[in-house]
Amino acid sequence: MIYLIPKPTRRTLFVVFFIICCVLLRVFLAAHAYQTLLFDTQTYVDHAQEFLRGSAIIDPRNKNMGYPLFLALLFWIRGGVDITFVKFVQIFLDLFAGIFVFAAARKVFTPRTALVVLFLYMLNPFTSSYVGLLLPEVLSCFFVGLLLAITGSTGFRKNTVVWFTVGFLLGLLLFVKTAMLFFAIGSIGMISFLCFKKGMIWKFLIISLAGFLLASSYTLIINYKTFGKVLLTPPYS
């Protein structure tokens, strides 16, 4: 019977079914995630509430403030702490991360291989399981996926706005997760040497580092005002 349906319609139905499955997988995992706020999850919520009270805060214990600021924005939208809403947003961030990874894979591999990459990301239970936890992993994956899509886009080597955006996103990635320090700085170095000729390397480095430092400005300023040190990460990380 399925062969009586026109091929374009079959493709559309399959895409809709696949998207529904991906959403349902994440809803299921989010619903079965550990519900009690403990340790890091409680700390992130506490910091978010401090931001909503107008405080400029720093955590010296190996945490940058990007994820609490993200939570504060969502709590502000909802008018208070709403864990379910955070999980809902993280579900869609993770789905978009998969789409970005697929877009990057299409630039590097064959369309069929790119589809395999999409299936592996969308249906794996590992990254998907984080959507139900108030931890920075989903937001980090979203930024990494977006970076992959941007650096693989047509015209990347000629667009200075995109260079600045890449640096800014790497700065946001570090702002969200302190462990990304070497990845962020190393990525700027690797992209500059792998993607650009000698005459353009320094131009890319300057522009991308400007974006990186802008995204890191809160951390740099609060560390200097609090500890008297210009650092990209907490002083006791």
Side-chain angles (χ1 to χ4, degrees):
M1 291 293 294
I2 194 171
Y3 293 102
L4 298 177
I5 303 173
K7 187 172 286 188
T9 305
R10 271 186 275 161
R11 287 201 195 98
T12 302
L13 290 173
F14 175 77
V15 169
V16 171
F17 176 74
F18 179 65
I19 292 172
I20 291 172
C21 288
C22 293
V23 172
L24 290 177
L25 171 64
R26 285 158 178 79
V27 170
F28 174 81
L29 292 171
H32 287 79
Y34 197 71
Q35 302 298 318
T36 306
L37 296 176
L38 291 172
F39 307 115
D40 284 355
T41 56
Q42 183 64 62
T43 299
Y44 288 130
V45 171
D46 291 342
H47 288 337
Q49 291 177 301
E50 289 185 64
F51 274 121
L52 289 174
R53 288 191 287 267
S55 301
I57 58 174
I58 184 67
D59 188 334
R61 299 165 298 175
N62 201 29
K63 290 181 180 65
N64 275 343
M65 292 294 103
Y67 189 68
L69 198 58
F70 167 74
L71 292 180
L73 174 62
L74 298 184
F75 294 161
W76 176 77
I77 291 171
R78 294 294 295 163
V81 176
D82 189 337
I83 307 303
T84 302
F85 182 63
V86 175
K87 294 180 179 181
F88 176 81
V89 171
Q90 291 191 156
I91 285 172
F92 284 93
L93 285 178
D94 192 52
L95 290 172
F96 275 108
I99 292 170
F100 293 144
V101 170
F102 169 68
R106 286 194 66 185
K107 297 289 184 179
V108 180
F109 307 114
T110 64
R112 182 170 294 183
T113 303
L115 281 173
V116 172
V117 171
L118 179 66
F119 272 79
L120 288 175
Y121 187 94
M122 289 296 199
L123 298 178
N124 85 85
F126 306 109
T127 57
S128 303
S129 63
Y130 277 100
V131 298
L133 301 172
L134 271 66
L135 293 170
E137 275 68 20
V138 171
L139 190 56
S140 299
C141 287
F142 174 79
F143 284 140
V144 171
L146 184 55
L147 281 163
L148 289 172
I150 289 175
T151 53
S153 62
T154 304
F156 165 70
R157 291 179 173 85
K158 299 178 181 178
N159 194 326
T160 54
V161 175
V162 175
W163 301 352
F164 183 88
T165 303
V166 167
F168 189 78
L169 286 172
L170 286 167
L172 288 180
L173 187 59
L174 175 60
F175 189 40
V176 167
K177 198 167 179 63
T178 307
M180 290 294 183
L181 175 61
F182 295 111
F183 173 83
I185 295 175
S187 294
I188 292 175
M190 290 295 290
I191 292 171
S192 64
F193 286 102
L194 292 177
C195 297
F196 297 94
K197 296 179 180 180
K198 286 185 179 180
M200 299 294 290
I201 287 177
W202 285 108
K203 188 175 180 180
F204 171 79
L205 284 174
I206 292 169
I207 293 174
S208 60
L209 283 173
F212 177 79
L213 291 174
L214 179 62
S216 302
S217 57
Y218 177 88
T219 304
L220 292 168
I221 293 169
I222 199 70
N223 275 336
Y224 181 74
K225 293 181 72 171
T226 306
F227 305 106
K229 300 177 179 179
V230 179
L231 298 170
L232 289 166
T233 59
Y236 305 112
S237 59

